[in-house]
């Protein structure tokens, strides 16, 4: 990768030997050319992140929520860093008065809110393991986590209390105290007492430690601050042990990165907290904001009201998962179509002109200020008017959506990549670098990265276009899986974390995720199919929203279940005089032919091999979702569950397609 500006080589690659695959060179961010950035002196733990900001910015707005008056949401009401600190100290004393000692496990269950962060900071203060509980990991996950992590105290959103009760009696072996973020009903009190548990409403709990003062233990970098359970696509959730060092190191790296591209955070920045704090992505972003004395405003917990909350808060940084950005994209397209022919023409012209200038190397703000003012400013206003950075993570963002938003959102749109095990952001694309479209950018300047060849999938880390499994080394890595040393040994080898994702280095030093190591199967004629790569290619078809491709070693061809795009299918039906609502169109053989044709066009354009073409489709009007256990909380497809759910559909497709003359 000679001649690129974004990574430097720190170690040569190695040829295959002793049955081990070949290994590509080790690279790191060029922003770390003189070594990785050291954390701020005195910042050893997550508690220090908060404590130092309280000392430095006591009167800054820290946590805000909308005031509800007569059922209507009003302005954001704020607590300062000093006010939050005072409550955190009270909560910490109250926790300790419940016989929870250093190293104890504290669960937090519910939607993001100020009390979530306050409870987390109380854990940080007293050296407790903060263990987020969340039910999107599937039925029984909350019970599994409480028992596996041996949680003795749990903070719970008011409306989740009854969900928590469903884990009784199994969880009561460890669980002794429940604290509601709000109120507790007499029935709930009786239910808890029946199982010898104490349950407190928030205000009452704060008084428990009133006249008590517990010393704060000395925290070390190596201490675990949180156990974050991640959904495996199969099997039980795994408890990822994250140390203070991981989070503090990550913050130092992100700070260096943002400073290097002149996008530093300041205490004036505002963040909208709506992505689950139970995931590492949101947790580290909020820690980053706290470290700068910036403000965090919480949403009301309803996705339909998110845009309204954004309009009121006017955030400067917006983090999103692709699904949210896909919704924004579809909504904008609908508005443009509904605006009439003239407006659409004007929009298309402005878009083409600005994109052309951006491709020539102009920064997004300088590519066409007039188009921004006349045409695109409405998009910016839709996100409150102040957003300067949109960061997408947790799953791949479609290239067409990323390109569109880079042009029309009047801010930087960056795509990142990381795992819970790597403490979130390990790669992130850079502002004003259009060549990074469709990639996750270069490494963050606190890790080393190399690719490892995967011969059975024909990925060679030493080829002229290096491809292989992404491996990461550095202090942001996790300390292992809780009580699962066997699984830890599988993925952490000689300090290198094996991500299971297949990457391809780009000439400019950015990384493109192209496949998943385990998502590979063999067709009956012996051909291997890398299914994730194919889904990414077919995902470019604008007439579909999502696709799951299936094949096995007893069949010679692929079939797929598709979530068609409602507007595209209805517009095709209108043009072809096919009647019926969206659901009946999905049953229509002509509609299936149309979608198959669109998939085939893309297959030809991308020069796919014959066996990579899809021979039959089933159209499901209902998107793949977590409710039916078809997706993980980060929107990755659960392939075994998808197969189980659609088994009869798959069988039928193979049966029909295998019929003579089919």
């Amino acid at each position: 990768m000679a001649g690129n500006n974004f990574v430097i080589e720190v170690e040569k690659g190695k040829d295959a030997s002793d049955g081990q695959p070949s290994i590509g060179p080790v690279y790191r961010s060029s922003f770390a050319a003189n070594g990785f950035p050291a954390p701020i002196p005195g910042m050893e733990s997550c508690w220090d992140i908060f404590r130092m900001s309280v000392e430095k910015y006591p009167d800054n707005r820290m946590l805000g929520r909308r005031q509800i008056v007569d059922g209507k949401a009003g302005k954001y009401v704020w607590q300062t860093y000093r006010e939050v600190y005072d409550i955190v100290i009270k909560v910490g004393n109250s926790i300790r008065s419940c016989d929870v000692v250093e190293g104890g496990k504290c669960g937090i269950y519910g939607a993001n809110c100020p009390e979530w962060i306050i409870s987390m900071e109380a854990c940080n203060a007293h050296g407790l393991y903060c263990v987020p509980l969340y039910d999107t990991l599937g039925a029984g996950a909350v019970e599994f986590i409480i028992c596996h992590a041996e949680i003795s105290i749990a903070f719970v959103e008011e409306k989740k209390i009854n969900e928590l009760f469903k884990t009784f009696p199994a969880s009561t072996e460890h669980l002794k105290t429940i604290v509601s973020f709000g109120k507790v009903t007499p029935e709930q009190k009786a239910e808890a007492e029946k199982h010898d548990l104490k349950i407190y409403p928030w205000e009452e709990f704060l008084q428990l430690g009133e006249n008590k003062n517990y010393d704060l233990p000395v925290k070390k970098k190596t201490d675990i601050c949180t156990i974050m359970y991640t959904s495996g696509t199969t099997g039980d959730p795994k408890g990822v042990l994250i140390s203070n060092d991981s989070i503090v190191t990550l913050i130092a790296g992100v700070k260096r990165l943002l400073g290097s591209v002149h996008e530093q955070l300041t205490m004036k920045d505002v963040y909208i907290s709506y992505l689950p704090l139970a995931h590492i992505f949101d947790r580290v972003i909020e820690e980053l904001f706290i470290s700068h004395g910036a403000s965090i405003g919480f949403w009301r917990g309803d996705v339909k009201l998110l845009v309204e909350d954004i309009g009121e808060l006017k955030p400067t940084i917006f983090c999103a998962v692709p699904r949210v950005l896909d919704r924004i994209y579809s909504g904008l397209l609908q508005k443009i179509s509904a605006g009439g022919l003239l407006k659409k023409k004007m929009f298309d012209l402005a878009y083409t002109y600005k994109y052309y200038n951006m491709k020539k190397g102009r920064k997004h703000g300088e590519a066409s200020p007039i188009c921004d003012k006349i045409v695109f400013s409405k998009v910016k206003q839709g996100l409150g008017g102040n957003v300067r950075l949109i960061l997408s993570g947790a799953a791949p963002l479609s290239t067409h959506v990323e390109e569109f938003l880079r042009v029309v959102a009047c801010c930087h749109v960056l795509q990142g990549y990381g795992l819970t095990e790597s403490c979130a952001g390990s790669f992130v694309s850079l502002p004003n670098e259009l060549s990074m479209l469709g990639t996750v950018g270069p490494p963050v300047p606190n890790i080393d990265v190399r690719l490892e060849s995967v011969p059975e999938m024909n990925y060679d880390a030493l080829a002229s276009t290096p491809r292989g499994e992404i491996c990461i080394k550095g202090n942001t890595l996790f300390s292992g899986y809780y009580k699962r040393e066997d699984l830890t040994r599988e993925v952490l080898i000689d300090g290198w974390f094996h991500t299971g994702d297949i990457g391809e280095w780009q000439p400019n030093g950015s990384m493109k995720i192209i496949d998943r190591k385990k998502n590979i199967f063999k067709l009956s004629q012996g051909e291997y199919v890398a299914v994730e790569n194919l889904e990414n290619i077919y995902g470019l078809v604008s007439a579909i929203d999502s696709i799951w491709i299936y094949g096995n070693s007893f069949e010679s061809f692929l079939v797929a279940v598709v979530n068609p795009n409602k507007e595209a299918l209805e517009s095709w039906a209108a043009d072809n005089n096919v009647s019926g609502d969206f659901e009946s169109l999905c049953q229509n053989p002509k509609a299936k032919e149309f979608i198959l044709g669109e998939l085939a066009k893309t297959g030809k354009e991308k020069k796919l091999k014959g066996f990579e073409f899809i021979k039959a489709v089933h159209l499901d009007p209902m998107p793949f979702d977590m409710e039916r256990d078809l997706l993980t909380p980060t929107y990755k497809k659960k392939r075994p569950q998808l197969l189980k759910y659609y088994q009869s559909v798959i069988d039928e497709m193979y049966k029909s397609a295998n019929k003579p003359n089919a």
Side-chain angles (χ1 to χ4, degrees):
M1 290 191 292
N4 80 73
N5 325 324
F6 302 116
V7 294
I8 52 168
E9 188 177 315
V10 289
E11 211 177 290
K12 294 268 175 263
K14 296 181 191 127
D15 288 324
S17 64
D18 303 330
Q20 294 300 311
S22 56
I23 292 166
V26 176
Y27 292 101
R28 70 173 57 158
S29 165
S30 55
F31 300 141
N34 301 319
F36 295 140
I40 294 163
M43 198 183 275
E44 299 274 311
S45 68
C46 289
W47 174 245
D48 293 330
I49 296 171
F50 174 54
R51 177 187 59 77
M52 289 164 86
S53 282
V54 174
E55 287 165 14
K56 207 168 168 185
Y57 316 102
D59 300 321
N60 281 17
R61 304 184 317 180
M62 181 180 174
L63 306 178
R65 60 151 61 99
R66 293 186 76 174
Q67 205 170 22
I68 309 291
V69 185
D70 300 332
K72 283 207 174 95
K75 299 253 174 253
Y76 271 85
V77 181
W78 294 91
Q79 292 167 296
T80 65
Y81 274 76
R82 163 61 64 192
E83 287 166 345
V84 172
Y85 178 85
D86 292 342
I87 304 171
V88 166
I89 293 300
K90 281 185 186 170
V91 171
N93 286 333
S94 297
I95 292 174
R96 293 291 296 274
S97 72
C98 296
D99 299 326
V100 181
V101 296
E102 186 183 355
K105 317 292 192 306
C106 169
I108 307 183
Y109 184 25
N112 299 9
C113 61
E115 291 80 9
W116 210 113
I117 290 285
I118 289 165
S119 310
M120 175 190 92
E121 291 297 0
C123 292
N124 289 341
H126 290 274
L128 308 176
Y129 292 36
C130 167
V131 187
L133 299 169
Y134 54 122
D135 39 25
T136 47
L137 282 181
V142 171
E143 183 183 313
F144 173 84
I145 296 171
I146 292 172
C147 298
H148 190 261
E150 299 170 26
I151 287 168
S152 58
I153 180 167
F155 288 85
V156 191
E157 183 186 351
E158 205 175 316
K159 66 177 187 200
K160 292 283 191 191
I161 295 173
N162 292 339
E163 284 295 311
L164 192 66
F165 285 169
K166 290 179 186 168
T167 67
F168 295 175
S171 63
T172 58
E173 187 189 335
H174 304 287
L175 194 59
K176 300 297 169 218
T177 312
I178 297 172
V179 184
S180 166
F181 284 156
K183 299 182 176 60
V184 173
T185 65
E187 294 79 18
Q188 288 169 336
K189 209 168 177 57
E191 177 67 19
E193 283 166 1
K194 204 164 79 188
H195 291 87
D196 292 332
L197 262 82
K198 293 265 196 316
I199 185 166
Y200 300 96
W202 183 253
E203 293 302 331
E204 192 186 314
F205 183 72
L206 290 185
Q207 288 157 20
L208 274 194
E210 273 282 78
N211 301 311
K212 299 179 175 151
N213 247 329
Y214 292 89
D215 289 338
L216 302 186
V218 175
K219 270 82 60 187
K220 301 191 296 293
K221 270 189 178 178
T222 50
D223 289 345
I224 302 302
C225 65
T226 194
I227 307 179
M228 221 161 240
Y229 280 81
T230 72
S231 50
T233 41
T234 54
D236 286 326
K238 295 177 292 205
V240 179
L241 295 166
I242 294 170
S243 67
N244 284 313
D245 197 19
S246 293
I247 292 178
V248 168
T249 303
L250 185 90
I251 285 174
V254 173
K255 219 170 167 178
R256 164 81 60 92
L257 173 75
L258 291 172
S260 305
V261 296
H262 313 297
E263 283 296 334
Q264 306 75 332
L265 283 187
T266 73
M267 64 181 192
K268 291 196 170 75
D269 274 303
V270 181
Y271 180 68
I272 177 120
S273 171
Y274 75 98
L275 293 174
L277 268 160
H279 292 309
I280 195 70
F281 183 28
D282 197 70
R283 164 77 190 258
V284 295
I285 296 282
E286 299 207 18
E287 293 275 18
L288 181 69
F289 266 70
I290 292 167
S291 74
H292 286 82
S295 310
I296 298 166
F298 294 87
W299 70 322
R300 280 172 286 166
D302 184 340
V303 83
K304 292 188 212 65
L305 304 173
L306 177 62
V307 172
E308 200 191 308
D309 290 337
I310 289 169
E312 182 58 43
L313 183 66
K314 300 182 172 34
T316 58
I317 310 281
F318 182 63
C319 289
V321 292
R323 180 156 289 201
V324 172
L325 297 176
D326 289 345
R327 277 199 197 122
I328 291 172
Y329 170 74
S330 305
L332 288 171
L333 286 191
Q334 273 172 311
K335 273 188 186 156
I336 295 157
S337 298
L341 204 61
L342 190 66
K343 275 194 174 160
K344 187 173 177 351
K345 195 85 188 131
M346 191 170 156
F347 182 91
D348 290 345
L349 278 169
Y351 185 98
T352 308
Y353 177 69
K354 184 177 175 184
Y355 184 53
Y356 171 76
N357 284 338
M358 284 169 74
K359 275 211 295 208
K360 281 185 14 190
R362 287 206 193 157
K363 293 179 178 177
H364 81 80
E366 297 159 7
S368 178
I370 292 169
C371 293
D372 286 350
K373 200 171 175 181
I374 297 169
V375 183
F376 303 132
S377 59
K378 292 182 188 69
V379 179
K380 192 178 173 79
Q381 289 311 316
L383 288 172
N386 292 339
V387 171
R388 62 186 175 91
L389 222 123
I390 293 177
L391 179 62
S392 176
L397 179 62
S398 309
T399 306
H400 63 280
V401 175
E402 186 185 351
E403 179 202 295
F404 182 84
L405 291 173
R406 278 190 180 215
V407 176
V408 307
C410 302
C411 65
H412 298 304
V413 179
L414 310 178
Q415 193 174 178
Y417 164 85
L419 301 94
T420 311
E421 291 88 342
S422 69
C423 203
S426 301
F427 293 81
V428 65
S429 59
L430 303 179
N432 296 316
E433 292 292 340
L434 209 62
S435 64
M436 289 185 184
L437 205 64
T439 76
V440 293
V444 171
N446 47 22
I447 57 167
D448 284 330
V449 179
R450 72 182 189 196
L451 296 182
E452 211 164 273
S453 298
V454 186
E456 68 273 25
M457 295 174 84
N458 292 325
Y459 291 130
D460 182 358
L462 295 172
S464 55
T465 302
R467 295 187 181 106
E469 182 178 9
I470 300 169
C471 298
I472 297 170
K473 195 177 201 176
N475 286 1
T476 57
L477 290 184
F478 72 132
S479 307
Y481 295 116
Y482 189 48
K483 298 181 183 170
R484 290 302 305 262
E485 281 174 25
D486 54 333
L487 294 178
T488 307
R489 280 194 299 270
E490 277 176 29
V491 294
L492 261 184
I493 303 159
D494 298 332
W496 286 95
F497 171 57
H498 290 64
T499 63
D501 285 310
I502 304 290
E504 175 185 288
W505 282 117
Q506 305 303 292
N508 63 5
S510 55
M511 181 67 76
K512 187 173 188 175
I513 311 293
I514 57 167
D515 209 342
R516 179 104 188 116
K517 194 174 173 183
K518 287 181 182 149
N519 292 341
I520 177 172
F521 49 76
K522 196 191 264 189
L523 294 176
S524 59
Q525 66 275 49
E527 297 285 5
Y528 281 105
V529 175
V531 67
E532 196 136 323
N533 186 33
L534 277 189
E535 286 171 347
N536 289 338
I537 290 169
Y538 284 123
L540 300 169
V541 173
S542 57
I544 72 171
D545 285 343
S546 193
I547 183 168
W548 168 62
I549 297 173
Y550 177 76
N552 64 44
S553 52
F554 300 103
E555 301 289 352
S556 61
F557 58 90
L558 302 173
V559 295
V561 177
V562 168
N563 296 148
N565 179 280
K566 191 167 187 279
E567 287 77 30
L569 198 63
E570 286 172 348
S571 143
W572 164 84
D575 292 347
N576 290 275
N577 299 321
V578 177
S579 59
D581 60 9
F582 183 49
E583 286 191 18
S584 63
L585 285 175
C586 287
Q587 304 294 324
N588 192 309
K590 283 185 180 166
K592 290 181 187 178
E593 270 174 43
F594 159 64
I595 295 289
L596 266 176
E598 294 298 294
L599 294 170
K601 264 189 231 165
T602 295
K604 280 180 192 137
E605 269 169 36
K606 298 291 174 187
K607 301 190 170 51
L608 293 182
K609 302 183 184 86
F611 64 86
E612 293 175 319
F613 278 74
I614 290 159
K615 293 289 188 286
V617 289
H618 168 76
L619 307 184
D620 190 342
M622 196 172 165
F624 305 136
D625 55 24
M626 282 182 254
E627 286 67 35
R628 291 176 292 167
D629 199 31
L630 304 178
L631 297 177
T632 72
T634 52
Y635 302 104
K636 292 186 183 77
K637 298 181 187 99
K638 288 187 162 186
R639 294 178 190 277
Q641 285 85 333
L642 280 157
L643 177 58
K644 199 170 152 191
Y645 187 84
Y646 289 110
Q647 187 71 64
S648 58
V649 167
I650 295 282
D651 293 345
E652 190 48 48
M653 282 196 278
Y654 275 122
K655 206 163 120 190
S656 307
N658 280 321
K659 272 183 197 154
N661 309 321

